[in-house]
Amino acid sequence: MATSNPVLRYLGSWKNLAGCTAGLVGLLLHFTGLAGSYWVVVVLGLYGVGALAAPPERITLVTDPEEEAGALKRELDALVDRVHGLRVPAEVPPRLAEVAEVLHGMLDRPRALRADPDALHAVTRLVGTDLPLSVQTYLNLPWWYAAARGSGAELVRQLDLLHADAVRTAERFHSADAQRQADHTRYLEDR
């Protein structure tokens, strides 16, 4: 069982086990009389050598799908909530909420999303880069400059494009379930 406590993690690591084994060899040397009066230094030295010689722990870059989806949901919800209190055109909050709704449909199934790398990449890109960049770029402009250039309409256009991208991804993601449903309907009709 993995733990987040670094001390407990080290105590169960290969480095500690190899160091303890080497330290036991040092104790055996002491009890046989070969370590002399410096036996403590020998035991500690052999522990250190064993710990350094042990292979490093494997690093797992894969996180728990529920944690990953939860983090993406929180990030998405924070952006949607943040936009409601900002100076954006009236069309922006509902359009952003529509994109979020499509993305939540995939994020609510984290294991299936993890099994589809293309969908996972698209959702991560939309939540982590595309949506925040569109909103923040608009907010970086002074209100008078954005109004003079029609940047609000451009933000709405960007959200429409991102919504279309999210819908395409969701359609690919949910297509297997839709096919299973159609197959089950045919099965029930034939029965």
Side-chain angles (χ1 to χ4, degrees):
M1 179 169 85
T3 179
S4 62
N5 185 334
V7 173
L8 292 177
R9 206 170 42 235
Y10 178 75
L11 289 176
S13 71
W14 286 108
K15 290 194 170 291
N16 184 46
L17 293 174
C20 288
T21 304
L24 286 174
V25 170
L27 281 176
L28 287 175
L29 291 175
H30 167 67
F31 292 131
T32 59
L34 298 174
S37 61
Y38 300 107
W39 69 273
V40 174
V41 175
V42 171
V43 169
L44 291 175
L46 285 173
Y47 175 87
V49 168
L52 290 174
E57 294 296 316
R58 288 187 177 174
I59 298 174
T60 55
L61 298 176
V62 176
T63 58
D64 183 41
E66 281 84 11
E67 287 178 25
E68 186 176 16
L72 288 171
K73 279 185 199 179
R74 286 188 297 278
E75 189 176 340
L76 181 60
D77 292 340
L79 179 65
V80 171
D81 291 342
R82 185 174 155 235
V83 165
H84 282 290
L86 299 175
R87 56 157 186 89
V88 293
E91 303 92 4
V92 169
R95 282 204 168 85
L96 185 59
E98 288 173 8
V99 176
E101 184 179 349
V102 172
L103 294 173
H104 270 284
M106 292 178 280
L107 290 169
D108 288 340
R109 299 183 52 212
R111 297 222 180 264
L113 186 59
R114 171 64 66 80
D116 187 345
D118 293 334
L120 178 61
H121 173 72
V123 169
T124 304
R125 186 192 70 239
L126 283 163
V127 173
T129 304
D130 295 341
L131 286 169
L133 182 64
S134 294
V135 172
Q136 192 59 50
T137 303
Y138 174 79
L139 293 173
N140 288 344
L141 299 173
W143 69 268
W144 56 269
Y145 187 81
R149 291 202 40 164
S151 296
E154 192 165 348
L155 175 59
V156 171
R157 175 75 178 126
Q158 287 176 353
L159 290 176
D160 287 342
L161 292 170
L162 293 173
H163 182 266
D165 187 17
V167 167
R168 275 192 307 274
T169 302
E171 285 174 351
R172 281 193 315 267
F173 179 74
H174 295 296
S175 65
D177 291 327
Q179 184 61 47
R180 270 193 292 278
Q181 184 180 26
D183 291 345
H184 188 65
T185 301
R186 277 194 301 280
Y187 163 75
L188 292 173
E189 289 173 348
D190 291 345
R191 202 167 58 156

